[in-house]
Amino acid sequence: MMMMFCLFFVFGNLQAQTKNKNARYTLEVNGNCETCKKRIEKAAYSVSGVKMADWDVATHQLSLIINEEKTSVFEVKKAIAEVGHDVDEVRAEDSVYENLHSCCKYERSSAKR
């Protein structure tokens, strides 16, 4: 009986660690215009394992498909923040944000750190 329990535990953990090769995510990314769209999508695609990235100007929603065996959604968020766009809990550096074109400067929440 103990052996069955151990086997169940081991196989259960292995299955729980399986990474999705086509994981879908939707993120809110701050931005304003078509220039932002190009910059956000380019940053997302710069991360190995990103299969699809499409940012909607009107809703500020980024639709992603990633291979979780190669990357994580957090890595994509970091890449987008590095080009000046706040994403959920990942805030762009102030100096990078300040270098965005004036039309790309969105209203930043002071709550994001």
Side-chain angles (χ1 to χ4, degrees), residues 4-109:
M4 286 286 262
F5 176 76
C6 288
L7 286 173
F8 179 74
F9 182 76
V10 169
F11 286 116
N13 279 344
L14 288 175
Q15 189 173 18
Q17 294 174 358
T18 301
K19 304 283 184 170
N20 188 340
K21 291 184 179 182
N22 291 300
R24 294 177 182 271
Y25 293 93
T26 302
L27 313 172
E28 184 172 346
V29 180
N30 290 320
N32 293 328
C33 63
E34 289 295 322
T35 302
C36 294
K37 177 179 174 67
K38 290 176 188 172
R39 185 182 308 106
I40 291 165
E41 291 174 0
K42 182 177 179 181
Y45 279 118
S46 75
V47 178
S48 179
V50 172
K51 294 182 169 186
M52 191 275 295
D54 182 40
W55 186 73
D56 186 272
V57 176
T59 65
H60 295 185
Q61 297 296 304
L62 175 67
S63 298
L64 280 176
I65 299 176
I66 64 170
N67 180 341
E68 292 178 322
E69 291 180 353
K70 295 183 178 182
T71 194
S72 69
V73 71
F74 187 72
E75 291 301 315
V76 178
K77 290 178 182 182
K78 287 190 330 186
I80 293 168
E82 287 174 4
V83 297
H85 296 273
D86 296 342
V87 188
D88 298 335
E89 74 274 8
V90 183
R91 183 178 168 100
E93 292 288 328
D94 291 341
S95 60
V96 178
Y97 170 79
E98 290 303 323
N99 283 329
L100 293 176
H101 188 272
S102 61
C103 75
C104 297
K105 291 186 179 173
Y106 49 89
E107 188 173 326
R108 296 183 92 184
S109 168

